[in-house]
Amino acid sequence: DLRHHDIAVIGMACRLPSASDPSAFWHLLRAGTSAISEVPDGRWPDAELVDVTALLGCVLGELRPGDGP
């Protein structure tokens, strides 16, 4: 039963939806908060080809070089 074992995280660096750092992501997980939101306009160039009222996903707020195309 994994609930009775200690876990140590010794280092972490990441970019996560709805969380500015690993600590904020941990709080999001503990609270059971959803990171799903509407995809920002212009994020998906071919989004106008999809027949839906809203595109949803877990997206980073601001893209940086290396985050994707």
Side-chain angles (χ1 to χ4, degrees):
D1 187 0
L2 293 178
R3 291 178 292 171
H4 299 290
H5 296 281
D6 293 333
I7 297 173
V9 177
I10 56 172
M12 185 174 190
C14 54
R15 294 197 59 217
L16 304 158
S18 301
S20 58
D21 56 42
S23 178
F25 185 65
W26 179 249
H27 291 293
L28 182 122
L29 291 175
R30 296 280 307 210
T33 304
S34 175
I36 297 173
S37 63
E38 286 195 30
V39 176
D41 289 337
R43 179 65 57 93
W44 290 339
D46 296 330
E48 68 275 358
L49 302 176
V50 179
D51 187 21
V52 295
T53 55
L55 295 172
L56 302 175
C58 293
V59 296
L60 297 172
E62 180 182 324
L63 293 180
R64 297 179 188 165
D67 283 338

